[in-house]
Amino acid sequence: MTLTPLQQEFVLHFGEMGSRWGINRTVGQIYALLFLSSKPLNAEEITDGLGISRSNTSMGLKELQSWGLVRLKHFPGDRRDYFTTPEDLWEIVRILVAERKKREIDPTLTKLRELEMSGPAGDDYAEARIAELRELIEMLTGFYAEMEKLETERLVKLMTMGQRIAGLIDKAGGALPSLMKRK
């Protein structure tokens, strides 16, 4: 399998970005190759296309499957496993956000709660900052939970209205605090 210059550049960039996001560079490249492929690829095609070892391909595919970012596909008469990515970009984004939350945000929130529950430490400033951070993360995760419930079409509409919503908040001015107290 020979990659076009466009594919090569995208795959290399995705590998570099993957390492910045905390995943192995090769895993990022495997995902990028599958993402750009118009058809599902088997491990041999991935190995050949990226010029990596078969074991690297296998480990990378297992990691991507654990995240739910690649799908296994089979064809009649062919015993090999083929891999593809979800077609819906929003599904991919939702998977990534959910996994990052599970792996990074949730453990941090748990630790902050543990620290608060451990009792007074004699450092009022640190205790207040920990509480403030916990409250902020809880607010953000609550917002995320509400956004996660929205179907894609409504979420896209909400995101495209972002600037207008900010303007409405500015116009509402002092009315918002009194509305919030009613809840």
Side-chain angles (χ1 to χ4, degrees):
M1 162 182 238
T2 304
L3 302 182
T4 67
L6 176 66
Q7 290 172 321
Q8 284 179 334
E9 191 168 336
F10 182 82
V11 166
L12 288 174
H13 176 73
F14 220 81
E16 291 170 20
M17 292 310 299
S19 64
R20 292 179 187 162
W21 296 329
I23 62 170
N24 180 296
R25 180 175 55 89
T26 304
V27 172
Q29 290 178 341
I30 292 170
Y31 187 78
L33 179 63
L34 291 171
F35 179 81
L36 292 181
S37 179
S38 61
K39 64 180 182 65
L41 302 176
N42 62 46
E44 293 168 32
E45 292 170 317
I46 295 167
T47 298
D48 180 49
L50 297 176
I52 59 176
S53 72
R54 180 68 170 88
S55 63
N56 256 354
T57 300
S58 179
M59 290 186 325
L61 288 169
K62 283 180 184 168
E63 184 171 342
L64 290 166
Q65 283 178 300
S66 77
W67 279 63
L69 287 170
V70 296
R71 306 271 163 73
L72 191 59
K73 189 163 178 100
H74 292 102
F75 294 102
D78 191 339
R79 293 177 45 203
R80 294 177 291 187
D81 291 336
Y82 286 80
F83 302 89
T84 188
T85 62
E87 287 293 318
D88 182 0
L89 290 176
W90 284 98
E91 181 182 353
I92 295 168
V93 169
R94 287 176 189 267
I95 290 169
L96 286 170
V97 170
E99 282 295 322
R100 299 302 294 239
K101 179 186 175 297
K102 181 174 76 175
R103 295 171 189 237
E104 297 166 25
I105 302 298
D106 292 348
T108 299
L109 193 51
T110 298
K111 178 49 98 175
L112 293 171
R113 289 174 178 149
E114 287 172 4
L115 291 170
E116 282 186 295
M117 289 174 38
S118 67
D123 187 346
D124 292 343
Y125 182 77
E127 290 173 26
R129 294 293 283 177
I130 287 170
E132 184 180 17
L133 181 57
R134 179 199 42 81
E135 290 170 7
L136 174 62
I137 292 174
E138 285 176 344
M139 185 186 330
L140 291 170
T141 56
F143 180 75
Y144 164 74
E146 292 300 316
M147 294 301 104
E148 186 181 35
K149 293 175 191 173
L150 293 177
E151 57 274 358
T152 299
E153 185 177 303
R154 291 183 70 200
L155 182 59
V156 170
K157 284 181 183 177
L158 179 63
M159 291 178 71
T160 57
M161 291 174 45
Q163 190 62 34
R164 287 183 277 180
I165 291 170
L168 287 173
I169 292 170
D170 289 343
K171 287 178 184 173
L176 280 179
S178 62
L179 290 173
M180 300 301 274
K181 287 179 187 176
R182 289 184 205 168
K183 284 194 167 190

